[in-house]
Structure formats: structure tokens, C-alpha cells
Amino acid sequence: MSNRQVPLTGSTLIVGPSQAGKTRLTARALDAWIDRNGAAGVAVLEFAPEVERDGTLLGGRLDRFTTIPDDAWHGILDAHAPRTVGESEAEAAALAADNAARAARLLDAAPDDPAAVFVNDATIPLQAEVITPHRLVAYCEQAPCAILNAYEGESLGTDDPVSRRERLALATLRKRVNETISLPSATRG
């Protein structure tokens, strides 16, 4: 796991391949924010699917690594992993659209004027046309601190519609945040 410190001001995007430690680092940043500022006004958006591959849980929610306080708003998407479980491009696209539609409702329900926003697996709801990256970034920009994480790995190199859309979303997020932290592979979380 990275010992890198995540800034608790501005916006930061944490990227890397599966099992690089993105979720764990985001959880550490959430804990640091809460230790310093308390949980009031914190919005946590959980978009990560939980996928088991070869006996290993890939992805997963922040609550695997920390306890989300009751004072924080916690929006959880029971997400599909479109590229992993979709048996065709059409099925993957349909799963991505379902994720995006349900994530849009979570964004609608998220508190106005958050003190801090933590987004786990930020590109999952952006794999379909339902939500634009700009909408998610606009929500995050309301807060003095926004920390997002996203997958960046070999699966994004394919030319299927879900991957193309996710690559575009990731590029937009990179342009709109203050800092990007790239994690190497081979750690857990």
C-alpha cells in the first residue's frame, strides 16, 4: 500500500490498476479528514462493484478499510461490473446504463454544500451516457476537499463502448482535479 499522503484541500484523483491500493488510500484520507474536521458535512459516494476473481475480491467499498461515521452521508450503489459480467458488448452497455441511472439518483440525494466528498470508483457511473463527468466534478467542486479514485489499467485499453466511455470520463476527471496520484500495481486494496 502506498504511504503517500493525500491532500485534504482541493481535489485529488487516485488512479491505478486493480489491487493497487486506491480504496485503502481513499479510506485513509477519509479517516484523516474526519480526525481533523469531524464527519459533519462529509459525503461518501460508493460506486465500486465487488467482484471476486480467482478467490480474490477486486474492488469493494470503503467500509472494508474504515468505518463510515453515522454523521457522514453515505450513498451506496450496488454496482454491476459491466466489463466483467457482461457476456456481450450490448449486455455490458446495459449494465453500465443501469449503474449510471441508479448513481444519478444517488447524486440527486447527496447533500448540498458538502464539506468534503469521497468518491470510490468514480468512473463506474460514467461508463454510460446518463451522467457526464462534468456533473460528478461539479458536485465535488462544491466541497473544499474532494478525493476520488478510479481504475486505470489494461481493461480500459479495449475498444468496447463501456471502455471508450470510461477512458473519456477518466481523461475529463484528470483535467478537472488539482492533483492526480498514480499508484503502481501489486498491492492490495
Side-chain angles (χ1 to χ4, degrees):
M1 176 185 61
S2 172
N3 289 324
R4 178 99 194 238
Q5 294 297 313
V6 178
L8 298 179
T9 59
S11 56
T12 302
L13 175 64
I14 302 165
V15 297
S18 293
Q19 301 298 298
K22 301 176 299 291
T23 302
R24 186 182 304 267
L25 186 56
T26 303
R28 280 191 10 222
L30 173 62
D31 289 342
W33 173 271
I34 291 170
D35 288 348
R36 184 183 297 170
N37 302 293
V42 170
V44 177
L45 291 162
E46 292 277 9
F47 297 139
E50 292 187 328
V51 176
E52 190 173 316
R53 185 179 299 151
D54 300 325
T56 301
L57 181 63
L58 304 178
R61 296 198 302 246
L62 289 165
D63 59 13
R64 287 178 47 215
F65 303 106
T66 190
T67 300
I68 310 298
D70 291 339
D71 290 349
W73 183 85
H74 194 191
I76 300 171
L77 176 66
D78 185 15
H80 308 288
R83 282 188 303 268
T84 303
V85 295
E87 294 183 14
S88 67
E89 284 187 5
E91 186 178 349
L95 293 170
D98 181 61
N99 281 344
R102 291 180 297 117
R105 289 191 292 274
L106 283 177
L107 274 172
D108 290 343
D112 294 330
D113 199 25
V117 178
F118 295 84
V119 184
N120 192 29
D121 220 339
T123 56
I124 288 291
L126 307 177
Q127 294 173 333
E129 296 286 334
V130 177
I131 300 175
T132 68
H134 300 289
R135 179 172 179 209
L136 179 59
V137 170
Y139 180 73
C140 291
E141 287 175 341
Q142 296 179 73
C145 172
I147 299 171
L148 303 86
N149 70 49
Y151 171 78
E152 183 176 62
E154 291 177 15
S155 292
L156 291 182
T158 62
D159 198 37
D160 64 278
V162 170
S163 295
R164 281 196 308 268
R165 178 86 177 138
E166 190 167 7
R167 276 194 309 276
L168 290 171
L170 186 58
T172 300
L173 293 177
R174 280 180 166 278
K175 289 177 190 172
R176 297 280 303 265
V177 297
N178 300 114
E179 181 174 345
T180 298
I181 297 171
S182 295
L183 300 179
S185 61
T187 61
R188 295 188 53 93

